[in-house]
Amino acid sequence: MTLKTKAAVLRALGEPLPYAQSRPIKIEELTLIPPGPMDILVKVVGAGLCHSDLSVINGSLGRGLPVVLGHEGAGEVLEVGSAVTDVKKGDHIAFQFAGNCGRCKNCQAGKPQLCEAFMAARAHGGLMSGGIHFRDANDEPVKHMVGVACFSEYVVVHRGSVVVITDELPLTEAALFGCAVMTGVGAVVNTSQVKPGESVAIFGLGGVGLCGLMGAKVSGAETIIAVDLEDAKLKKAMELGATHTFNARDPDLVEKIKDLTDGGVDHAIELAGAIPAMEAAYAVATRGGKVVTAGLSGTGKSFSINHGDLVLGEKHVCGSYMGSCVPMRDIPRFIKLYQSGALPVDALIDGLVTFDELNEGFDRLHNGTALRQVLVPHGPASVGGSAKVQEGVPAARSADV
Ligand SMILES: NC(=O)c1ccc[n+]([C@@H]2O[C@H](COP(=O)([O-])OP(=O)(O)OC[C@H]3O[C@@H](n4cnc5c(N)ncnc54)[C@H](O)[C@@H]3O)[C@@H](O)[C@H]2O)c1
Ligand SMILES: [Zn+2]
Ligand SMILES: [Zn+2]
């Protein structure tokens, strides 16, 4: 049986701001082709608005069009394909934005976040099982963002794009674990491997960065320095356990952090998606320290490192994709930490939004006035909430910082 689903479709990149006026995201009724043998049909209950969606909308991350957006979310399984044996109808799942096949050389090496089958599927905008399951009103295919496309009432995804989770937590909160939590906490605990007593500096305090900060706290870091352009985000960071904060516009930022940490931090983590943040992170890392970056500043962007400084300083510079997570191990682990109060992820959710408010939601993310807004495709009443974004994280981002 084919299903109809309301979904958020992007048909053009780089439309002008504000999106409240240009309205690049169109809400369309699409047809959903039923799951193949290795696929799953999911009712999406909550889906986070992440900067990576914004970077597709504004054109800084290239993507094939048209595409259904969304890559961070959670929902309930409605149907499983004939070859799926370990997920069943009624299960709660969180999507993982980098799916894995379990068979390729990177999956076999214990690095499912680098799955080759996923990268191939990501490139053509389909599922790892090969197909594109959305059709528009003209019966033309509409791609799936990273095989998830969860800005939709219903989605078909490959088995390897979901993790079964406990049904003890609301799906609007579970939504954040598939991207912000895995990326931010994972960058700190998996990629950089922060140890008790060490010093950490986090650059960028959006949904991903504040998860990184929580990860540093849970790891027992003694000094946790939080850096952002927005003072309101610095305040939030203090509430969540930062020991020191700095505004990234401070001309003496690097010297001040080095002075504070006796020459530099053990771990400098770039979670802003901005080259100046990457440069500052590299500069504040101590000799022998680690520089980890999960920010995505845009296709084709690069930064340079002084060769001699890298050698003499023996700095370790490392990329981090999906927090170097093994999702079936890490999502349940991070959910347990959330339930124990050690990872207060719900503190990042500053509102539920409906399909009709998605364009405005991305304006707020661009302006820095929202942290993690959660789309409720079936409406706020479906999750017992009200669609309202808290205002009050002021100040616009300066393009040249
Ligand atoms: N590697 C991955 O697997 C992965 C996964 C998800 C998101 N991302 C990327 O992580 C980044 C953060 O995502 P988010 O959703 O938290 O974004 P966000 O927009 O919510 O937060 C980004 C924050 O960085 C701050 N910032 C900008 N320039 C800065 C600078 N020079 N110094 C310090 N702070 C600065 C902004 O003020 C903002 O608070 C994005 O680039 C996103 O694409 C990567
Ligand atoms: Zn994301
Ligand atoms: Zn694989």
Side-chain angles (χ1 to χ4, degrees):
M1 188 190 82
T2 48
L3 189 71
K4 297 283 181 192
T5 184
K6 214 199 258 191
V9 180
L10 185 74
R11 291 186 177 273
L13 302 176
E15 293 290 300
L17 288 156
Y19 299 139
Q21 277 168 26
S22 61
R23 305 204 83 73
I25 301 169
K26 314 276 184 223
I27 309 307
E28 299 184 17
E29 187 175 78
L30 304 178
T31 301
L32 200 50
I33 296 171
M38 275 307 290
D39 302 329
I40 294 176
L41 174 66
V42 179
K43 176 184 177 186
V44 181
V45 176
L49 278 62
C50 171
H51 205 106
S52 298
D53 299 295
L54 178 57
S55 295
V56 173
I57 298 164
N58 69 25
S60 46
L61 292 179
R63 275 289 184 286
L65 297 177
V67 63
V68 174
L69 296 168
H71 64 281
E72 171 185 286
E76 187 184 333
V77 174
L78 297 184
E79 189 183 325
V80 301
S82 56
V84 176
T85 53
D86 58 348
V87 181
K88 60 182 188 315
K89 185 177 175 196
D91 280 348
H92 284 193
I93 60 93
F95 298 105
Q96 55 186 80
F97 69 82
N100 58 69
C101 71
R103 291 185 180 81
C104 72
K105 73 171 189 199
N106 287 333
C107 282
Q108 292 297 317
K111 298 175 189 163
Q113 79 280 14
L114 303 181
C115 174
E116 293 177 337
F118 163 69
M119 285 310 275
R122 179 180 179 273
H124 79 82
L127 305 188
M128 281 194 292
S129 36
I132 292 182
H133 284 252
F134 293 117
R135 294 289 181 275
D136 67 13
N138 298 319
D139 206 25
E140 295 293 330
V142 182
K143 296 174 193 286
H144 305 243
M145 181 171 177
V146 293
V148 172
C150 58
F151 289 174
S152 179
E153 292 173 309
Y154 302 94
V155 290
V156 172
V157 294
H158 186 268
R159 161 69 188 96
S161 294
V162 305
V163 172
V164 176
I165 57 169
T166 171
D167 56 10
E168 288 165 10
L169 74 163
L171 287 162
T172 43
E173 292 166 17
L176 271 58
F177 284 79
C179 179
V181 177
M182 273 206 289
T183 304
V185 180
V188 170
V189 307
N190 292 334
T191 318
S192 216
Q193 301 190 0
V194 172
K195 302 279 183 304
E198 291 188 317
S199 55
V200 180
I202 307 277
F203 292 81
L205 303 171
V208 174
L210 288 170
C211 284
L213 189 148
M214 293 179 200
K217 191 158 181 244
V218 113
S219 303
E222 189 177 312
T223 305
I224 305 176
I225 299 164
V227 184
D228 201 286
L229 299 167
E230 318 282 352
D231 288 337
K233 302 234 173 129
L234 302 181
K235 186 166 168 278
K236 187 85 181 175
M238 287 304 281
E239 289 165 17
L240 291 171
T243 57
H244 306 80
T245 61
F246 293 96
N247 193 300
R249 295 174 213 274
D250 186 334
D252 301 321
L253 174 71
V254 169
E255 283 318 308
K256 284 182 179 170
I257 294 178
K258 284 171 105 171
D259 285 350
L260 181 70
T261 52
D262 194 21
V265 294
D266 299 314
H267 304 265
I269 319 277
E270 190 280 323
L271 300 173
I275 298 293
M278 185 62 205
E279 289 168 342
Y282 181 81
V284 302
T286 189
R287 295 182 71 213
K290 291 185 183 166
V291 185
V292 164
T293 176
L296 293 165
S297 54
T299 308
K301 292 224 175 131
S302 55
F303 69 100
S304 66
I305 294 177
N306 180 289
H307 197 167
D309 183 74
L310 178 67
V311 174
L312 268 69
E314 245 192 43
K315 293 188 184 182
H316 303 246
V317 181
C318 194
S320 178
Y321 193 52
M322 206 166 68
S324 313
C325 283
V326 177
M328 282 177 75
R329 176 196 69 191
D330 289 334
I331 288 184
R333 174 161 79 128
F334 296 157
I335 286 178
K336 282 202 180 101
L337 285 169
Y338 170 58
Q339 290 175 314
S340 76
L343 279 182
V345 171
D346 55 338
L348 307 183
I349 300 175
D350 50 6
L352 304 179
V353 295
T354 63
F355 274 126
D356 293 341
E357 299 154 345
L358 260 184
N359 286 295
E360 287 79 359
F362 280 106
D363 280 335
R364 286 189 285 265
L365 190 61
H366 169 82
N367 293 333
T369 54
L371 270 175
R372 238 12 177 217
Q373 307 163 84
V374 177
L375 169 72
V376 280
H378 300 271
S382 69
V383 295
S386 62
K388 185 173 181 303
V389 170
Q390 291 168 11
E391 298 297 343
V393 187
R397 175 180 308 180
S398 155
D400 58 353
V401 181

